[in-house]
Amino acid sequence: WNVENDISDDSSERKNVQIESIDEVMTPEEALRKITLENNQSTSEGIRNVLLVDTHGHPHLNRDIQYSNHFSNEAKKELNIKSTIQQGVVSLTCAVSPLDWDSALQYASQSSWILPALGVHPWYLGDILSNTTTITNGTDPPENATDAVDIKKYLNWEWLDTLETHLAQHPHLLVGEIGLCKMAKFVREFPSEKGGKTTALQLQKRVFRKQLELAAKWSRPVSVHCVNMHGSFMGVLRDVL
């Protein structure tokens, strides 16, 4: 959530909120080192425990970019960290479609510090489209394409059973990245003969709901992408939870 969504307009509350701009992009390890050093400067005992959680990313899609998930013994000594203290970065690697689920699971298997999340991102519904559905035998589409066929038939739903199987097999598996996005290319370019943008947004909502229902059923955290559809998002959330 945006910080301002969680704060009232009361100036006495706002003055307690500090937002620091970061000029350079840091790796999670660099961010952890910076946080640790700043905390060490504020106490003579040194920081007792810092665990940085990288809650969103797709590192499995680019295996050349990796980072250490914990400090070496030398770094712990430099930063005044007791050797018995758990110190490091928990990384979440989010899949975007069934096509990269195996890659996400394989990447996460490298370390207990990496948690996998599987789901269908709203940008990638094209990966689960059915190629067998047509809406009419004529040359002209009906005025309302969604009245001509159940739009669920536009999608292949086998991935949903596969997702539940993975959730049953992996107790630490999250659901993500899923969500709703009015700006997605899938929405902008969905064929007009199948209902265009209206149908695309309905399909997005169905896919999001089904995944959220699975997450609720298995009591798993969810990573959500939501752009210009917060009303729909809250509606689905209320219905499911």
Side-chain angles (χ1 to χ4, degrees):
W1 293 99
N2 186 298
V3 173
E4 291 189 356
N5 287 339
D6 297 323
I7 321 171
S8 70
D9 288 331
D10 187 277
S11 59
S12 63
E13 293 185 68
R14 284 184 176 276
K15 70 173 78 171
N16 292 325
V17 178
Q18 297 181 355
I19 301 176
E20 178 182 354
S21 62
I22 300 177
D23 295 330
E24 298 181 1
V25 176
M26 295 183 290
T27 68
E29 183 183 14
E30 290 169 341
L32 179 61
R33 179 180 291 271
K34 182 175 186 293
I35 293 170
T36 303
L37 285 171
E38 290 179 350
N39 277 275
N40 281 355
Q41 292 171 1
S42 65
T43 173
S44 59
E45 297 180 358
I47 190 162
R48 295 186 178 277
N49 193 0
V50 170
L51 185 65
L52 186 65
V53 181
D54 185 7
T55 61
H56 180 98
H58 311 281
H60 65 284
L61 297 178
N62 189 345
R63 290 171 181 262
D64 292 335
I65 302 176
Q66 297 188 28
Y67 54 85
S68 173
N69 294 89
H70 56 84
F71 286 142
S72 65
N73 291 332
E74 292 76 12
K76 284 186 175 183
K77 183 176 180 180
E78 173 195 349
L79 299 172
N80 191 23
I81 299 172
K82 297 178 180 179
S83 60
T84 57
I85 292 175
Q86 191 84 339
Q87 190 89 10
V89 180
V90 175
S91 173
L92 179 63
T93 185
C94 298
V96 295
S97 91
L99 300 182
D100 73 334
W101 287 0
D102 288 342
S103 296
L105 290 172
Q106 183 178 0
Y107 182 86
S109 69
Q110 300 177 82
S111 170
S112 60
W113 292 82
I114 306 174
L115 296 178
L118 303 186
V120 180
H121 191 289
W123 290 3
Y124 293 91
L125 265 64
D127 290 345
I128 59 171
L129 278 176
S130 170
N131 295 321
T132 60
T133 304
T134 56
I135 62 173
T136 177
N137 293 324
T139 56
D140 297 322
E143 293 183 3
N144 186 351
T146 59
D147 290 341
V149 67
D150 184 349
I151 64 171
K152 292 196 301 294
K153 296 180 181 179
Y154 288 144
L155 301 180
N156 179 344
W157 291 92
E158 293 179 0
W159 61 271
L160 194 61
D161 291 333
T162 304
L163 178 57
E164 182 159 24
T165 298
H166 283 307
L167 289 169
Q169 294 174 342
H170 302 281
H172 299 298
L173 179 65
L174 289 75
V175 176
E177 181 183 1
I178 67 176
L180 302 168
C181 184
K182 191 173 289 187
M183 308 304 294
K185 183 178 180 180
F186 173 82
V187 173
R188 292 183 279 109
E189 298 185 358
F190 196 76
S192 58
E193 65 271 18
K194 294 185 177 181
K197 182 177 180 179
T198 298
T199 298
L201 290 173
Q202 291 177 357
L203 289 172
Q204 262 195 14
K205 193 172 180 179
R206 286 174 184 254
V207 170
F208 175 57
R209 176 187 292 272
K210 291 295 185 182
Q211 295 179 99
L212 198 61
E213 287 173 347
L214 272 186
K217 176 180 178 180
W218 289 90
S219 299
R220 302 298 172 83
V222 178
S223 175
V224 176
H225 170 103
C226 186
V227 176
N228 292 346
M229 294 190 68
H230 292 83
S232 296
F233 165 72
M234 293 304 299
V236 174
L237 195 64
R238 282 190 294 265
D239 290 345
V240 172
L241 304 181

